[in-house]
Amino acid sequence: MKKILQITLGIITSVGGFLEIGSVTTAAQAGALFGFQLLWAIALGTICLIFLVEMSGRLAAVSKHTIVDAMRERFGFPFFFFVLIGMVLVAFLVLIAELGGIGFALQILSGLGFPLWALPVSLVVWLMMWKGTFSLIENGASLLGLVTISFAVAAWKLNPDWSSVGASLLPTLPEQDKVKYGYLAVSILGASISPYLMYFYSSGAIEDEWDRSYIAMNRVIAGFGMTLGGVLSICVLIVAAIALRPKGVQVDTFPQAALLMTTALPRWGFYLFAFSMLFACFGAALEISLAIAYFFAQGFNWNWSENLEPSKNARFAFVYTIIILVSAVPLMLHVDPIRVTMLAMALTSATLPLAIVPFLFLMNDPIYLGKYRNGWITNSVVGIVVLISFVLAIISIPLQIFGG
Amino acid sequence: MDLVRDVLDKKLVDREQCDMGRASGLIMQFGEKTQPHITHILIGGPTLWMRIHPALGRASEKLARLWGPKSKEPVRIPWSHVETVGKDIKLDVVAKDTGALDWEIWIARHFIERIPGGGHEEEE
Amino acid sequence: MDLNVELLVGTTVYDANGEKVGRIEEFRVEQDGKSCRIESYLIGASALVERMSAWTLVRPIARGLRSRHVLSIYEVPWQDMDLSDPKRPRLKIAKSDLRHAR
Amino acid sequence: MAAKLLPIGLLISALACKPPSASEQMDSAVSWVGTAGMAGEAWLRHASPDKYTRQTLELSHKSLIDIGTSLLKSLPAGIDSATVDSALARSSTHIALMAQLVEQKNSPDFRTLLDSLYADERVVKQLADSVEAKEQ
């Protein structure tokens, strides 16, 4: 009975925590520009994410190591440091984007510009970290995030042609705008396969003291939670494809994105979108700040637990305090969060090998995992998707940047 | 047992299971005809940076003298205090007395405790 | 004389005739009671694989490429290693006299 | 790799890129006219705040004027620049008026203007299609 409750809670938190500014912006842009054509990228990214999240939980349950612990131990400090720099820089960009998303949601609700919101928003996020506990952050934030289910309602009400939705799960090339298409595919993959989610998930498994008896549960949570989350992303794309594309409306700015659900849900669509973004980005900002602080604390074995008061893990608290405050600065200087988001997502794809290849080594390590090592199916699926995202990123990022 | 795989970069915990960093370095002693053996485990910044590049190691040594707790780095734990080497390395020491927590305490005193709601690191 | 083990990792080793042998990747030790004595040094690319505990991933690939080279490790007993210049460790014997650990 | 890519990427994207083509700019114009229409509809249904609506309409207005100025230099041969100019100017004027009506909370006049904006929208779309056809 207790297990069923835990599984339900786990799935709910994964669904509530799945959408954030990256997945919404990339899916909305893709739908507005290419209709259903890029659905395959969300599906592919979600499949890869299911495997990765399952792996992170399994590593923690069997070896009692988080990914970062194991990476530092197995690959040594110099390599670890290299990965740390890459991951923290990308996660930092994503954090800026999420804080910008919260600020924008407040802007469309209140009329006050997002640069004004940057500092108060980052202070609230910081205060949650300072005073909150792990379960408050994980459960509270993602329960609020359940408002994103309204995207599924919107997609349902627009009554899409399900056979062409299904057909778009196989990749095809568009006749024009190939570069933009590739760049969007890369950004969608980056938004779906977010490494910070793995670090957060494996740290959570350690904080909740998982052991081998959790392996089956972990599979169910990863499988269902991420699938349902991916379905939500797909719904965002469907809504954009049906509501925005016929009018030629693109999602280059946030005020345009705010119109996403007004066709499907004429009365509440606007407010549901604003609150979806507010809560989803808030939850994601907390998770990313925690993931960055975990990365340092675990890598150097400082005390770390979101359940202790700050002075009991001073260096851990110090890291997230600095990171959150610094990330407010670019927003106060009017950096466009949507541009930061697209760049952050594309760079996530480009740096995936850095995050995933060492992780694959760890997941095949008999010392850590014994008979719970990866099988060849898991290895190949993850390896191939990472290779695809990397190659696409290497080709399309320069083309996008130089090609206009 | 293998040194790099099983000892270096492993977590160090003290008698009371308190985390005290990772094994950043190991000192080995050798002579002309005697078998080399490990004398100390090192913890701390300059040891780590030295592994990336000697210049970084020297810079971090200089910086540590100007700023921070100004303790005598690196922290050296004699191998004779090693209890077991497994998932962690258990040491028969008290973390606070070794100097491994100097930075933790310094940051707690200088930043965290001064922010309202930060608590105090010495309360139990 | 004292030496930092972590800085020795990755250093290239030459044999008695000055021929390159490979990099030091691992130290095999014997722990008894309160002491920890170094028995041998593992040298070469595959010692790195050993250190990463990565044979389950690398072996099938190496077999696929039919690369015997990747699968061999030099194991040098402590008596045969001269560390008096830590920047340039030398073997006291010739490369041809080395034994493969695998 | 990541550490090296990142600053370069940021630098390059900060420096922006080659100017967009005429048909891309026309797509953007269509997008902004459509945005104003959707925002207007939502406001008429009382389903969005006044401030958001006004700001979005003003943003559409400003974007259309910007597009108008840069577009006229890059139009392909065979497209009458006066036609494009007047279509864009007409819709941006309508949008500016709509923004004022939001402030006055005048829905009846707003509805009339929204209908003329739909007419503008069709014209701009047709122009966008012919620019694209000429460019290829």
Side-chain angles (χ1 to χ4, degrees):
Chain A
M1 192 60 213
K2 191 170 160 258
K3 282 258 157 103
I4 293 178
L5 195 74
Q6 275 179 309
I7 290 178
T8 318
L9 190 67
I11 294 175
I12 289 175
T13 51
S14 326
V15 175
F18 195 91
L19 285 192
E20 37 79 53
I21 191 161
S23 41
V24 172
T25 316
T26 52
Q29 288 203 351
L33 280 172
F34 296 101
F36 297 155
Q37 209 176 359
L38 273 161
L39 274 178
W40 63 268
I42 301 183
L44 189 66
T46 306
I47 291 171
C48 186
L49 184 68
I50 294 171
F51 279 94
L52 288 171
V53 167
E54 190 276 331
M55 281 157 59
S56 339
R58 177 152 46 95
L59 178 70
V62 177
S63 76
K64 305 286 191 310
H65 283 71
T66 64
I67 302 171
V68 178
D69 283 335
M71 193 154 47
R72 165 83 196 262
E73 273 182 25
R74 198 50 95 225
F75 294 94
F77 182 72
F79 182 79
F80 165 79
F81 184 70
F82 182 61
V83 178
L84 174 103
I85 296 284
M87 291 298 107
V88 168
L89 278 178
V90 174
F92 179 67
L93 276 184
V94 181
L95 179 61
I96 296 175
E98 305 295 346
L99 292 177
I102 306 174
F104 254 144
L106 291 169
Q107 173 182 330
I108 60 171
L109 285 170
S110 71
L112 285 176
F114 77 91
L116 287 175
W117 288 108
L119 199 58
V121 161
S122 61
L123 282 178
V124 172
V125 170
W126 171 79
L127 199 65
M128 277 290 290
M129 302 275 293
W130 192 252
K131 281 286 167 198
T133 59
F134 183 78
S135 62
L136 179 73
I137 287 177
E138 190 182 27
N139 303 334
S142 34
L143 281 180
L144 287 176
L146 285 181
V147 67
T148 52
I149 289 179
S150 52
F151 282 109
V153 179
W156 188 259
K157 288 198 80 176
L158 289 172
N159 197 20
D161 172 9
W162 293 108
S163 63
S164 54
V165 168
S168 312
L169 293 176
L170 285 177
T172 45
L173 258 185
E175 278 165 20
Q176 45 192 359
D177 292 332
K178 290 197 176 64
V179 170
K180 183 84 189 165
Y181 182 86
Y183 186 68
L184 271 175
V186 166
S187 307
I188 288 176
L189 286 168
S192 312
I193 316 172
S194 17
Y196 78 84
L197 206 66
M198 296 157 26
Y199 302 129
F200 181 76
Y201 191 85
S202 77
S203 308
I206 297 286
E207 289 230 30
D208 293 342
E209 295 176 350
W210 283 15
D211 56 30
R212 274 163 212 222
S213 69
Y214 283 74
I215 289 178
M217 196 182 107
N218 170 50
R219 275 202 182 130
V220 177
I221 294 178
F224 278 94
M226 299 304 140
T227 306
L228 292 176
V231 167
L232 278 187
S233 275
I234 288 180
C235 288
V236 175
L237 188 145
I238 290 177
V239 171
I242 298 180
L244 303 183
R245 189 165 184 244
K247 292 183 198 264
V249 173
Q250 302 169 7
V251 188
D252 300 323
T253 66
F254 211 76
Q256 293 172 304
L259 298 164
L260 206 52
M261 285 200 274
T262 54
T263 309
L265 308 166
R267 196 84 194 83
W268 296 106
F270 177 86
Y271 293 101
L272 281 173
F273 177 83
F275 282 103
S276 291
M277 288 310 283
L278 184 62
F279 294 139
C281 296
F282 187 67
L286 288 172
E287 289 185 4
I288 296 164
S289 316
L290 264 183
I292 295 177
Y294 284 148
F295 210 113
F296 279 92
Q298 293 162 8
F300 294 97
N301 194 29
W302 304 336
N303 293 332
W304 63 276
S305 170
E306 182 48 24
N307 298 323
L308 289 174
E309 66 175 358
S311 65
K312 295 284 190 297
N313 41 27
R315 286 175 285 190
F316 176 74
F318 186 70
V319 169
Y320 69 69
T321 303
I322 298 287
I323 293 278
I324 294 174
L325 292 182
V326 172
S327 58
V329 175
L331 293 169
M332 289 194 283
L333 301 173
H334 291 252
V335 166
D336 179 3
I338 294 225
R339 282 197 141 185
V340 176
T341 306
M342 297 307 286
L343 181 67
M345 297 306 134
L347 283 177
T348 302
S349 274
T351 52
L352 272 182
L354 193 63
I356 309 294
V357 172
F359 186 31
L360 272 182
F361 270 85
L362 297 173
M363 291 309 294
N364 285 280
D365 188 329
I367 298 177
Y368 284 135
L369 286 150
K371 64 176 175 146
Y372 297 101
R373 289 198 306 273
N374 271 3
W376 64 271
I377 298 181
T378 313
N379 282 337
S380 339
V381 170
V382 173
I384 290 169
V385 177
V386 167
L387 190 71
I388 294 174
S389 334
F390 179 70
V391 172
L392 277 180
I394 289 301
I395 299 170
S396 74
I397 293 179
L399 283 177
Q400 171 68 17
I401 288 169
F402 292 112
Chain B
M1 193 168 74
D2 290 353
L3 271 189
V4 183
R5 192 186 66 194
D6 301 326
V7 180
L8 199 62
D9 291 305
K10 271 253 168 89
K11 280 183 179 175
L12 303 171
V13 293
D14 79 349
R15 227 178 264 161
E16 271 118 36
Q17 301 297 315
C18 174
D19 289 323
M20 48 185 290
R22 289 179 182 273
S24 319
L26 297 165
I27 300 278
M28 74 186 248
Q29 198 177 57
F30 65 98
E32 269 297 298
K33 289 275 178 284
T34 52
Q35 185 171 8
H37 64 278
I38 301 299
T39 57
H40 291 91
I41 296 180
L42 304 179
I43 316 170
T47 317
L48 279 180
W49 298 121
M50 198 68 87
R51 284 167 70 180
I52 294 182
H53 198 275
L56 272 177
R58 284 191 296 271
S60 117
E61 258 166 19
K62 253 181 214 158
L63 222 73
R65 251 178 266 138
L66 297 170
W67 202 67
K70 298 190 183 151
S71 47
K72 237 176 49 205
E73 283 190 290
V75 177
R76 295 159 68 102
I77 312 276
W79 186 268
S80 54
H81 289 310
V82 172
E83 296 256 285
T84 53
V85 178
K87 179 179 157 279
D88 313 316
I89 300 174
K90 294 204 179 6
L91 299 173
D92 184 24
V93 294
V94 176
K96 259 184 197 171
D97 302 342
T98 60
L101 296 183
D102 284 3
W103 272 98
E104 176 81 19
I105 295 167
W106 189 81
I107 286 180
R109 294 227 171 107
H110 286 76
F111 297 96
I112 306 299
E113 287 179 9
R114 299 187 180 188
I115 305 172
H120 290 278
E121 51 92 13
E122 276 174 9
E123 288 166 12
E124 282 304 317
Chain C
M1 219 173 115
D2 284 354
L3 201 61
N4 286 69
V5 170
E6 74 278 8
L7 300 181
L8 211 54
V9 175
T11 320
T12 309
V13 180
Y14 298 84
D15 78 348
N17 311 320
E19 197 188 336
K20 205 158 131 183
V21 182
R23 294 164 187 266
I24 303 186
E25 298 292 356
E26 187 58 280
F27 304 73
R28 201 142 268 178
V29 295
E30 199 56 57
Q31 194 190 10
D32 66 81
K34 293 284 170 198
S35 78
C36 175
R37 282 171 286 110
I38 293 175
E39 297 288 335
S40 59
Y41 305 87
L42 300 186
I43 297 173
S46 39
L48 179 67
V49 181
E50 175 88 6
R51 184 178 107 201
M52 301 280 192
S53 170
W55 283 114
T56 38
L57 265 192
V58 175
R59 192 179 289 119
I61 298 171
R63 284 221 181 104
L65 300 172
R66 294 173 192 283
S67 167
R68 300 272 322 148
H69 167 73
V70 179
L71 296 175
S72 65
I73 303 179
Y74 292 117
E75 180 164 2
V76 180
W78 67 269
Q79 294 92 337
D80 294 342
M81 179 71 93
D82 174 11
L83 288 170
S84 50
D85 179 2
K87 292 223 167 10
R88 206 184 152 83
R90 284 167 58 96
L91 300 185
K92 292 173 183 164
I93 51 174
K95 189 178 173 183
S96 48
D97 297 335
L98 275 175
R99 109 189 136 84
H100 284 291
R102 203 183 271 269
Chain D
M1 176 71 186
K4 278 177 201 157
L5 259 178
L6 194 69
I8 301 171
L10 279 175
L11 186 76
I12 293 170
S13 59
L15 290 172
C17 36
K18 81 166 202 275
S21 70
S23 74
E24 276 166 344
Q25 293 191 32
M26 279 310 289
D27 286 346
S28 184
V30 171
S31 165
W32 280 113
V33 176
T35 303
M38 285 184 82
E41 265 175 56
W43 184 73
L44 274 180
R45 283 196 303 265
H46 304 288
S48 62
D50 294 352
K51 275 191 177 160
Y52 160 78
T53 314
R54 207 192 66 223
Q55 285 171 355
T56 306
L57 291 172
E58 280 164 0
L59 184 63
S60 307
H61 168 73
K62 193 180 152 290
S63 311
L64 282 171
I65 289 187
D66 291 349
I67 292 168
T69 24
S70 67
L71 181 61
L72 293 179
K73 295 170 208 148
S74 55
L75 277 178
I79 298 283
D80 180 23
S81 64
T83 322
V84 175
D85 190 31
S86 76
L88 291 184
R90 200 164 50 239
S91 33
S92 73
T93 316
H94 284 152
I95 292 170
L97 283 173
M98 282 162 70
Q100 286 170 17
L101 291 176
V102 169
E103 195 130 17
Q104 300 157 12
K105 300 199 192 297
N106 184 343
S107 337
D109 289 353
F110 190 93
R111 190 181 299 275
T112 326
L113 268 176
L114 189 58
D115 286 334
S116 2
L117 187 66
Y118 288 145
D120 300 340
E121 194 177 333
R122 279 190 294 277
V123 175
V124 176
K125 252 189 192 159
Q126 276 167 10
L127 283 171
D129 290 342
S130 49
V131 167
E132 196 174 320
K134 280 271 160 22
E135 258 187 6
Q136 277 167 0

